[in-house]
Amino acid sequence: MTPLTRDGIAARLAQDIEDGWHVNLGIGMPELVANYLPEGREILLHSENGILGMGPYPEEKDIDWTLINAGKKPITTVRGASFFDHAWSFGIVRGGHLELCVLGGYQVAPNGDLANWARRADDPLPSIGGAMDLAAGAQRIYVMMTHTDKNGGLKVVDKCSYPLTGAGVVRRLFTDLCVIDVADGQFTVTDMIAGLSRDELQARTGAPLRFADKVATLGNLAAA
Amino acid sequence: MTPLTRDGIAARLAQDIEDGWHVNLGIGMPELVANYLPEGREILLHSENGILGMGPYPEEKDIDWTLINAGKKPITTVRGASFFDHAWSFGIVRGGHLELCVLGGYQVAPNGDLANWARRADDPLPSIGGAMDLAAGAQRIYVMMTHTDKNGGLKVVDKCSYPLTGAGVVRRLFTDLCVIDVADGQFTVTDMIAGLSRDELQARTGAPLRFADKVATLGNLAAA
Amino acid sequence: MLDRRCNDLAEAFAGIGDGARVMVAGFGEAGRPNMLIKALLDSGIKDLDLISNNAGDGETGLAALFRAGRVRKLTCSFPRGAMQDVMLDLVTRGEMELEVMPQGTLAERIRAGGCGIPAFYTPTSFGTLVAEGKETREFDGRGHVLETALKAEIGLVKAHKADRFGNLTFENLARNFNPLIAAAATRTIVEADEIVELGDIDPHNVHSPGVFTNYVFTTQPVSEESWQDWRKSA
Amino acid sequence: MLDRRCNDLAEAFAGIGDGARVMVAGFGEAGRPNMLIKALLDSGIKDLDLISNNAGDGETGLAALFRAGRVRKLTCSFPRGAMQDVMLDLVTRGEMELEVMPQGTLAERIRAGGCGIPAFYTPTSFGTLVAEGKETREFDGRGHVLETALKAEIGLVKAHKADRFGNLTFENLARNFNPLIAAAATRTIVEADEIVELGDIDPHNVHSPGVFTNYVFTTQPVSEESWQDWRKSA
């Protein structure tokens, strides 16, 4: 079996973004999703520092430091973009106007809880940023992360042990091994990579998995 | 004695508006103040429907019904004006950013209470508009009104009997007979028209009047 | 394709039943979506739970909704004007409920509805009749009133320019409640003087971002007589 | 004459004592008022109660204030970045207090401060560590947290264009916290790339109305070396 790369996860997730959606891609791995938006779908990207209609990274010569995303990386704008202040920007977020937000994760639980901002409750430099607002406000939250950590530690868990970003917010989870629907307090696997058995996947998961009637094969859509 | 006309009250009040102030002139009699702003002072007029920098009534041929004040009368704009939505407009009001608001009044009491929106508590068509926000939010409230009603009924009273617009908000009161400072629960007359005795003024007033050490003569500054 | 343009007014109002809460923008006639108000009238939807700062004047626009008896409740800040006899009649006969509040409180409640703030405290109206029965609280030694967010199923908005993403600009003081209602309504229907190409509106100067907009129409004039159409079918 | 233009930075900071609460706008370097931050550093004011979304990077800008030990407390949403070792050192040695909150909550608290709203409820952070000890309340069956307004004695703002009334525009994503801080600060000091004539900014597209502005300066570059000046006098 070959786990998906980060790009592979991003490419699979991008398939589940519908035409016409307004989407916030969280800092880090979710930013990759922008490279795999399916052809023929018009998707407007929001960044919480005040833009709808974010375009790709500019050419080096066109970098302008007033044109950055929430991760402070240079961006461009698409035709039909708009700028606004932080209050309106989080009004868009909190008011439920974004069809989707994609966030990275440290831990996800079947009740939809997400932990992605701190690994300990007494972090002396707790760094929250906009993730809690996005978790609370977007119409749906997709999470993308590796299924386990570098040491094989569980991240898809029965109950989050790290401080929560949002309670009961995750709708779908995309990992390097599978895609999981999160609903009614349960994990349901809808896609799995080839060459991985259900028992093997369960062994790498800290909560009981159910499987959809038809589980799709999760291929690497990011391959050239 | 000759009581001031409405224009006379407006002209006197205008003398107390300082250079550089941002001012809201309430609907009705206060609108007249705009005609008497002293030369050499730059005063920006706010209207709660979304403008700072309101200019005078336009020529008939220039009337544009998207350019109206809170009283729905046509206006013009001055150079350096700005438009904003109702939330920002009342943010300016409520946030204490206007140095002054001038309101009309039915009743004013020495504790600073103002009644100017309804003459009965069970009005079937209570019409509040923006007056309560202005009363609560502006840095200072000046009220202009006739000293008594058409039938000689008292309007400068010990306690408002009509529903309040704002509690404890009036800073100065301009009538056709006098100018009154309102502070520390007391009325202090600072200006009076000629030919009116203190006893006569007190007789037309429903609360005890004090008099400033030096009471100025209140002339008709609106005279051509 | 993200295209909010539409040519069928009936489509924009489809599925909306009697009793719907509808917000109508505008202050006086500035920024008042007359074509959409006419479409709402034509839709026949009744028992409207209407939110609009003013009550309208005369026989046209909002006034026609009241005259046609379509409004169960009006939430506003200023119900007086040329319509006040009709309003008074409706209210005293118990045919319409009226909720009046300070204009800034109305604006902030709608803004809160669009921005995901369920409630806030305001100093406005504290110590007055309007605050009676409301929850109050002191902050920094000053009394404040708790007010809750207002949202609606439908928002009717009048823009100057619109593009197919639904980005909007407003002219002069026609902005007023428009961007707030665009955000607070689940279904925001816009009529614009002009629909322009993407990119024709400077991204710095979009007054209401497209994410709030669901349908965009080009404004068509409504003839004076057609405001009386409801009388024929009534 | 209503003229907010000023040439003397010391005048803009006059009368501000140690312990002052200062809001600094900007997100990353976009919309960050570096000249004014340098003037604040030069003023020698210490024990700052600083509110800024980010903590800055390197040796310049905000970072210099931390390195110079001028900040008693930082309120922000994201204290990590190239400065985090310095921050960690200050916090663990107890030399600086840190208050961290969600970015949208920070923005809304500042907006509330400018708009006369003393407190509001937000769904953000409900059910998390951040909400522990805070007052909560259900609206429509969902938990919310009570948050209070943030105001400041001084607000430092970076604009693109300004006029003498203090009307401002911002470039691209340099807008961010700038208009909110302009409104929330008692004394709003602005540096602008360009000071233009009255009327050169279209009234429709003023991003922050002049009523919030107290001082306007033209931005001057701050040399890299001068950020080290404080070390000489320290």
Side-chain angles (χ1 to χ4, degrees):
Chain A
M1 65 154 225
T2 311
L4 292 185
T5 58
R6 289 154 52 99
D7 283 281
I9 304 172
R12 171 60 188 83
L13 189 150
Q15 299 297 312
D16 287 8
I17 303 182
E18 294 181 18
D19 189 28
W21 278 9
H22 303 81
V23 179
N24 184 296
L25 301 174
I27 299 173
M29 210 198 288
E31 293 178 56
L32 293 174
V33 173
N35 301 327
Y36 298 99
L37 298 176
E39 295 251 339
R41 297 185 204 171
E42 198 160 46
I43 290 155
L44 276 189
L45 298 181
H46 171 267
S47 188
E48 58 266 36
N49 52 321
I51 183 172
L52 256 172
M54 198 164 50
Y57 198 91
E59 290 185 54
E60 208 67 26
K61 69 174 174 53
D62 294 329
I63 288 176
D64 174 342
W65 292 103
T66 64
L67 274 172
I68 56 173
N69 66 13
K72 305 188 184 74
K73 297 193 189 71
I75 58 162
T76 51
T77 60
V78 302
R79 289 175 76 83
S82 55
F83 299 121
F84 28 77
D85 66 42
H86 252 82
W88 263 120
S89 187
F90 280 96
I92 290 171
V93 171
R94 216 189 297 102
H97 301 284
L98 299 177
E99 281 85 358
L100 172 67
C101 173
V102 182
L103 292 171
Y106 295 160
Q107 295 178 327
V108 171
N111 63 355
D113 284 1
L114 167 66
N116 85 344
W117 67 281
R119 289 196 169 83
R120 43 189 277 212
D122 59 350
D123 185 338
L125 292 186
S127 296
I128 303 170
M132 281 193 186
D133 305 281
L134 288 159
Q139 288 173 28
R140 49 182 76 71
I141 300 291
Y142 291 173
V143 171
M144 60 186 291
M145 63 184 195
T146 56
H147 202 87
T148 56
D149 68 22
K150 280 174 244 170
N151 308 315
L154 302 180
K155 297 174 69 177
V156 185
V157 296
D158 198 45
K159 190 172 184 321
C160 294
S161 57
Y162 297 154
L164 296 187
T165 305
V169 298
V170 180
R171 183 81 68 94
R172 201 170 287 175
L173 171 62
F174 298 79
T175 79
D176 49 343
L177 303 182
C178 66
V179 179
I180 296 176
D181 267 342
V182 186
D184 305 322
Q186 288 187 311
F187 285 141
T188 304
V189 178
T190 60
D191 305 49
M192 276 173 68
I193 59 168
L196 179 72
S197 75
R198 293 184 178 192
D199 286 349
E200 285 166 336
L201 182 63
Q202 181 64 72
R204 297 174 193 211
T205 306
L209 294 174
R210 305 209 309 179
F211 291 85
D213 291 344
K214 190 163 176 245
V215 174
T217 299
L218 181 55
N220 182 9
L221 300 166
Chain B
M1 65 156 226
T2 311
L4 293 184
T5 58
R6 289 155 52 97
D7 282 282
I9 304 173
R12 171 61 187 85
L13 190 149
Q15 298 298 311
D16 286 8
I17 304 182
E18 295 181 18
D19 189 29
W21 278 9
H22 303 81
V23 178
N24 185 296
L25 301 175
I27 298 173
M29 209 197 291
E31 292 177 58
L32 294 174
V33 173
N35 301 328
Y36 299 100
L37 298 176
E39 294 252 341
R41 296 184 205 172
E42 197 161 47
I43 290 155
L44 277 189
L45 298 181
H46 171 265
S47 189
E48 58 265 37
N49 53 323
I51 183 172
L52 255 172
M54 198 163 52
Y57 198 92
E59 292 183 51
E60 208 68 26
K61 68 174 175 54
D62 294 329
I63 288 176
D64 174 343
W65 291 103
T66 66
L67 274 171
I68 55 172
N69 65 13
K72 304 188 185 74
K73 296 194 189 72
I75 58 163
T76 52
T77 60
V78 301
R79 289 175 75 85
S82 54
F83 300 121
F84 28 77
D85 66 43
H86 252 82
W88 263 121
S89 187
F90 280 96
I92 291 171
V93 171
R94 216 189 296 103
H97 301 285
L98 299 178
E99 282 85 358
L100 172 66
C101 174
V102 182
L103 292 171
Y106 294 160
Q107 293 178 329
V108 171
N111 63 356
D113 284 3
L114 167 67
N116 85 344
W117 67 281
R119 288 197 168 82
R120 44 190 275 214
D122 60 348
D123 186 338
L125 292 186
S127 295
I128 303 172
M132 281 195 186
D133 305 281
L134 288 160
Q139 289 172 26
R140 48 182 77 72
I141 299 292
Y142 291 173
V143 171
M144 59 187 290
M145 63 183 195
T146 56
H147 202 88
T148 56
D149 69 21
K150 279 174 247 171
N151 308 315
L154 301 180
K155 297 173 70 177
V156 185
V157 295
D158 197 46
K159 191 172 184 319
C160 294
S161 59
Y162 296 154
L164 295 187
T165 305
V169 298
V170 179
R171 183 81 68 94
R172 202 169 287 175
L173 172 62
F174 299 79
T175 78
D176 50 345
L177 303 182
C178 65
V179 179
I180 296 176
D181 267 340
V182 186
D184 305 322
Q186 287 188 312
F187 285 142
T188 304
V189 177
T190 60
D191 305 45
M192 277 173 68
I193 59 169
L196 180 71
S197 73
R198 293 183 177 192
D199 285 349
E200 284 167 337
L201 182 62
Q202 181 64 72
R204 298 173 193 212
T205 306
L209 294 174
R210 304 209 310 177
F211 290 85
D213 291 342
K214 189 165 176 242
V215 174
T217 300
L218 181 56
N220 183 8
L221 300 166
Chain C
M1 195 170 178
L2 182 54
D3 193 348
R4 302 307 198 198
R5 292 171 296 184
C6 185
N7 292 309
D8 181 2
L9 281 164
E11 182 188 332
F13 288 89
I16 302 298
D18 293 345
R21 173 174 284 187
V22 180
M23 289 179 176
V24 179
F27 184 91
E29 287 309 300
R32 183 74 79 187
N34 270 314
M35 181 184 80
L36 298 177
I37 294 169
K38 179 62 164 51
L40 178 61
L41 185 66
D42 292 346
S43 76
I45 300 170
K46 60 181 193 295
D47 292 332
L48 290 171
D49 180 358
L50 186 68
I51 299 176
S52 167
N53 184 66
N54 310 109
D57 289 329
E59 292 276 334
T60 68
L62 272 189
L65 287 177
F66 294 108
R67 290 183 189 276
R70 300 287 173 77
V71 182
R72 177 177 53 79
K73 180 181 175 184
L74 170 66
T75 300
C76 70
S77 86
F78 204 82
R80 290 190 187 272
M83 272 293 287
Q84 73 191 46
D85 292 347
V86 177
M87 303 296 288
L88 189 63
D89 193 47
L90 287 168
V91 170
T92 51
R93 287 213 320 269
E95 291 182 7
M96 191 180 81
E97 186 188 342
L98 185 63
E99 184 180 349
V100 181
M101 70 193 71
Q103 195 173 131
T105 297
L106 178 62
E108 188 68 10
R109 289 181 69 186
I110 297 171
R111 189 261 175 197
C115 290
I117 300 294
F120 59 88
Y121 288 92
T122 175
T124 300
S125 89
F126 182 80
T128 77
L129 181 68
V130 173
E132 275 180 23
K134 290 193 175 171
E135 194 174 323
T136 62
R137 182 161 173 169
E138 263 195 22
F139 293 94
D140 289 329
R142 190 174 178 201
H144 292 81
V145 182
L146 182 69
E147 297 283 356
T148 54
L150 286 174
K151 297 204 264 194
E153 290 168 70
I154 296 271
L156 304 186
V157 162
K158 170 70 167 67
H160 181 46
K161 292 184 181 178
D163 65 24
R164 71 172 166 84
F165 284 176
N167 291 310
L168 309 178
T169 66
F170 305 97
E171 203 175 6
N172 298 322
L173 287 118
R175 192 173 320 186
N176 56 66
F177 287 89
N178 275 292
L180 313 179
I181 288 177
T186 305
R187 190 187 302 184
T188 294
I189 310 173
V190 177
E191 58 171 286
D193 292 329
E194 191 186 355
I195 297 181
V196 300
E197 292 298 313
L198 280 188
D200 283 358
I201 303 176
D202 180 344
H204 293 87
N205 302 326
V206 170
H207 300 149
S208 182
V211 67
F212 300 133
T213 301
N214 299 95
Y215 292 91
V216 174
F217 294 87
T218 304
T219 294
Q220 305 292 340
V222 181
S223 73
E224 284 285 318
E225 319 81 70
S226 70
W227 288 106
Q228 305 295 337
D229 290 352
W230 64 270
R231 294 184 193 273
K232 297 166 200 158
S233 51
Chain D
M1 195 171 178
L2 182 55
D3 193 348
R4 302 307 198 198
R5 291 172 297 182
C6 185
N7 292 310
D8 181 1
L9 282 164
E11 181 188 333
F13 288 90
I16 302 299
D18 293 345
R21 175 174 282 185
V22 180
M23 289 179 177
V24 180
F27 185 91
E29 288 308 300
R32 182 74 78 187
N34 270 312
M35 183 185 78
L36 298 177
I37 293 169
K38 179 61 167 48
L40 178 61
L41 185 66
D42 292 346
S43 75
I45 300 170
K46 59 181 192 295
D47 293 331
L48 290 172
D49 180 359
L50 186 70
I51 299 176
S52 166
N53 184 65
N54 310 109
D57 289 330
E59 293 275 335
T60 67
L62 272 190
L65 288 177
F66 294 109
R67 291 184 188 275
R70 299 289 173 74
V71 183
R72 178 176 55 78
K73 180 181 175 185
L74 170 66
T75 301
C76 70
S77 87
F78 204 81
R80 290 189 186 273
M83 272 293 288
Q84 71 190 49
D85 292 347
V86 177
M87 302 297 287
L88 190 61
D89 192 46
L90 287 168
V91 170
T92 52
R93 287 213 319 269
E95 292 182 8
M96 192 180 82
E97 187 188 341
L98 185 63
E99 185 180 350
V100 181
M101 70 192 70
Q103 194 173 132
T105 297
L106 178 62
E108 188 69 9
R109 290 181 68 186
I110 296 171
R111 188 261 176 199
C115 290
I117 300 294
F120 60 89
Y121 288 92
T122 174
T124 299
S125 89
F126 182 80
T128 78
L129 183 66
V130 173
E132 275 180 23
K134 291 193 175 170
E135 195 174 323
T136 61
R137 183 160 172 170
E138 263 196 22
F139 293 93
D140 290 330
R142 190 174 178 201
H144 291 80
V145 181
L146 182 69
E147 298 283 355
T148 55
L150 286 173
K151 298 204 263 194
E153 290 168 71
I154 297 272
L156 304 186
V157 162
K158 170 70 167 67
H160 181 45
K161 293 184 181 177
D163 65 24
R164 71 172 167 86
F165 284 176
N167 291 310
L168 309 178
T169 67
F170 304 98
E171 202 176 7
N172 298 322
L173 287 119
R175 192 175 319 186
N176 57 67
F177 288 88
N178 276 292
L180 313 179
I181 287 177
T186 304
R187 190 186 301 185
T188 294
I189 311 174
V190 176
E191 59 171 285
D193 293 328
E194 192 185 354
I195 297 181
V196 300
E197 293 298 313
L198 280 189
D200 282 359
I201 303 175
D202 180 342
H204 293 87
N205 302 325
V206 170
H207 301 148
S208 181
V211 67
F212 299 134
T213 302
N214 299 94
Y215 293 92
V216 174
F217 294 87
T218 305
T219 294
Q220 305 293 341
V222 181
S223 72
E224 284 286 317
E225 318 81 69
S226 70
W227 287 106
Q228 305 296 337
D229 290 351
W230 63 271
R231 293 185 193 273
K232 297 166 201 158
S233 51

